[in-house]
């Protein structure tokens, strides 16, 4: 539909609505007004009941708010159609007029609508939720909230980043909290003068010192040689902890590794200690 055709159709429909309103009697206006007032009261009662019902459902708060708002808009559209019918306004002309306005608005706010649709997808598919720590291209942080336009991320340095939902829905997202457990790999390098068994024992003690680390089973602290290099041996310490407790383990574990190695007289060689993040189930 061209712009000229759209404007002509809009003028015709508006003219039909205006002609219908000119013919309405005083009694017709009163009847329509009464219907409008009763309808508004009825909608408020229904929305109050709907809000109470939504609170009982296991739905995200943002999704519940969206459903509440969408239902309210639909009810008011139905009420407006009923009032227009009482005033003798041709419903087909009214619907056509509203459709043209909706089309014009949608063309001007395509990006907004795309973000809203993406927000609905995120809220229903739930790839992450408030409180999860997610990683995406160019940003990572804890999800503070999700609304229909933006997802609010709190970065590790405390900055708040608002990511458009359309951008989130179109890229790869790593959710570090989706699994109940999270893995941390710490690698250190020591000289050949030290026995492998002594180093791995010290690393396991460091892992066992952490109160939030899994202590038993397959995910108990694990240490082993990972590489023999020219200047020393690289050892790996692997620990698992509840996903939400990651930062409570991160820094204390590095201190514990240094302390346990020093207790046995084991010195680190040149090369940085490296920490890698893993995920588990």
């Amino acid at each position: 539909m061209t712009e000229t055709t759209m404007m002509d159709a809009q003028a015709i429909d508006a003219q039909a609505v205006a002609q219908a309103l000119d013919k309405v009697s005083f009694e017709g206006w009163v009847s329509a007004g009464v219907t409008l007032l009763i309808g508004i009261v009825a909608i408020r009662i229904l929305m109050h009941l709907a809000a109470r019902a939504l609170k009982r459902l296991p739905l995200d708060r943002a999704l519940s708010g969206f459903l509440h708002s969408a239902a309210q808009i639909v009810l008011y559209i139905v009420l407006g159609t009923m009032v227009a019918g009482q005033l003798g306004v041709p419903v087909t002309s009214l619907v056509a007029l509203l459709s043209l306005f909706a089309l014009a608005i949608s063309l001007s706010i395509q990006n907004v609508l795309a973000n809203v649709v993406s927000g609905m997808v995120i809220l229903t598919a739930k790839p992450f939720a408030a409180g999860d720590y997610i990683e995406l291209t160019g940003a990572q942080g804890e999800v503070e909230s999700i609304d229909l336009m933006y997802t609010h991320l709190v970065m590790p340095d405390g900055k708040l980043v608002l990511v458009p939902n359309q951008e989130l829905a179109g890229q790869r997202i790593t959710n570090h909290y989706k699994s109940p457990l999270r893995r941390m790999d710490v690698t250190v390098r020591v000289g050949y003068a030290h026995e492998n068994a002594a180093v791995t024992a010290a690393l396991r003690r460091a892992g066992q010192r952490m109160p939030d680390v899994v202590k038993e089973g397959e995910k108990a602290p694990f240490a082993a040689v990972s590489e023999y290099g020219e200047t020393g041996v690289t050892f790996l310490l692997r620990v698992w902890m509840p996903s939400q407790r990651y930062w409570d383990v991160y820094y204390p574990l590095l201190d514990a590794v240094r302390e346990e190695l020093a207790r046995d007289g084991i010195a680190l060689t040149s090369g940085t200690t490296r920490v890698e993040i893993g995920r588990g189930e």
Side-chain angles (χ1 to χ4, degrees):
M1 181 182 290
T2 64
E3 184 177 353
T4 303
T5 304
M6 183 185 300
M7 293 178 63
D8 292 341
Q10 184 175 350
I12 294 173
D13 291 323
Q15 184 178 3
V17 172
Q19 290 176 353
L21 292 176
D22 286 339
K23 299 177 182 179
V24 180
S25 64
F26 176 77
E27 291 78 8
W29 284 107
V30 172
S31 177
V34 172
T35 301
L36 180 63
L37 291 176
I38 295 175
I40 291 175
V41 173
I43 289 175
R44 289 184 177 180
I45 294 174
L46 287 174
M47 296 314 302
H48 177 71
L49 296 175
R52 294 178 59 183
L54 287 172
K55 288 182 179 179
R56 299 191 185 100
L57 297 177
L59 297 177
D60 186 271
R61 184 173 60 182
L63 179 58
S64 298
F66 172 77
L67 293 176
H68 186 275
S69 299
Q72 189 174 27
I73 292 173
V74 171
L75 289 175
Y76 275 114
I77 290 176
V78 172
L79 176 61
T81 304
M82 293 173 59
V83 173
Q86 282 193 322
L87 293 175
V89 176
V91 177
T92 54
S93 298
L94 183 62
V95 171
L97 187 60
L98 292 175
S99 300
L100 290 172
F101 275 118
L103 178 60
I105 293 173
S106 63
L107 291 175
S108 62
I109 56 171
Q110 293 184 43
N111 291 334
V112 175
L113 292 176
N115 281 322
V116 171
V117 172
S118 298
M120 293 173 60
V121 172
I122 292 173
L123 290 170
T124 53
K126 295 184 177 180
F128 54 84
D132 287 352
Y133 189 93
I134 64 173
E135 182 178 350
L136 46 126
T137 305
Q140 60 177 306
E142 183 176 330
V143 179
E144 181 183 62
S145 62
I146 309 167
D147 57 34
L148 291 180
M149 288 292 296
Y150 298 97
T151 293
H152 300 239
L153 288 184
V154 179
M155 306 289 281
D157 59 1
K159 294 179 181 178
L160 178 63
V161 177
L162 274 63
V163 184
N165 289 330
Q166 182 183 12
E167 180 181 333
L168 271 177
Q171 67 172 288
R172 179 177 177 178
I173 302 171
T174 301
N175 188 340
H176 291 290
Y177 282 6
K178 195 68 173 179
S179 299
L181 294 178
R182 190 175 179 185
R183 192 188 76 218
M184 182 189 301
D185 294 347
V186 179
T187 58
V188 297
R189 183 179 301 166
V190 302
Y192 280 99
H194 306 288
E195 295 292 335
N196 291 350
V199 178
T200 55
L203 292 176
R204 282 194 295 271
R205 289 200 309 269
Q208 291 287 348
R209 282 176 51 178
M210 299 296 101
D212 295 311
V213 164
V214 177
K215 302 294 195 307
E216 300 177 352
E218 296 180 354
K219 291 181 170 56
F222 168 81
V225 174
S226 63
E227 181 185 1
Y228 289 101
E230 294 182 2
T231 60
V233 183
T234 301
F235 290 84
L236 164 70
L237 169 63
R238 174 170 294 167
V239 296
W240 295 80
M241 79 281 315
S243 297
Q244 289 78 6
R245 307 297 292 177
Y246 172 77
W247 294 109
D248 296 319
V249 174
Y250 183 94
Y251 297 107
L253 180 60
L254 296 183
D255 290 337
V257 167
R258 177 68 178 270
E259 293 170 3
E260 293 297 334
L261 290 175
R263 179 181 301 177
D264 291 347
I266 302 171
L268 298 173
T269 63
S270 60
T272 58
T273 300
R274 187 170 69 252
V275 180
E276 297 178 353
I277 303 170
R279 291 182 57 208
E281 299 179 355

